[in-house]
Amino acid sequence: MKRLMSSIFLVAMCMPVVAWSQTPAANPAKIAWINLEQAIFSCEEGKKEFGEVQKYVEKKNSELDSLRKETDTLKNQLSVQGSKLTDEARADLEEQIESKDTTLQRFQQDTQKDIDARRVKATNYVGRRMLPVIEKMAKERGLNAVLYINPSRDAWVDPSLIITEDIIKAYNLAYPPGAAKAPAAAPTPAPATPQAAPPKKP
């Protein structure tokens, strides 16, 4: 059976392309390109986020190997002892093997879905935080648009127009490694209910 994979899901690619005001026809638009996948996976925070996903993948692959060994042991037992077993014992062993196979298959499918979801979450988290970095650099350089490199569309892009490495450096400065994530806002406490003053003694 296949091992679990940490496959790439660039949902962040659906994010809008950074663009600015229209340029008069007399002046050509200033456009730059970015390889968003490379930027997300190569920035320090991206490496950290996807490193955690990879640790999870390795852990689950270890569990998968254990399940597979248990199944293989039962299959080997049936192969070696099958002819010597009673019909009832053989049927019981075959039932155990079928149950293990089902458990193994479900484990692999469910865990792969979980890995994919973690991958998408990490991609979108870094991608959303990267958009303001791209926007800031575009404004500083007077760019009219920043486009995502698309191999199916772009046959060739002048390397001098690709700002991927610059975005990675800017992102690392904006979100340095080891910096704590912003804590979730604490809920506003409900106003205290006023209590009636105790009655005065006569």
Side-chain angles (χ1 to χ4, degrees), residues 185-191:
T188 304

Side-chain angles (χ1 to χ4, degrees), residues 18-24 27-33 137-147 161 163:
V18 178
W20 305 111
S21 58
Q22 295 182 351
T23 304
N27 298 322
K30 294 182 65 177
I31 299 175
W33 274 261
M137 183 171 292
K139 288 180 177 179
E140 291 173 348
R141 298 188 178 186
L143 301 175
N144 299 105
V146 177
L147 306 180
L161 301 177
I163 61 173

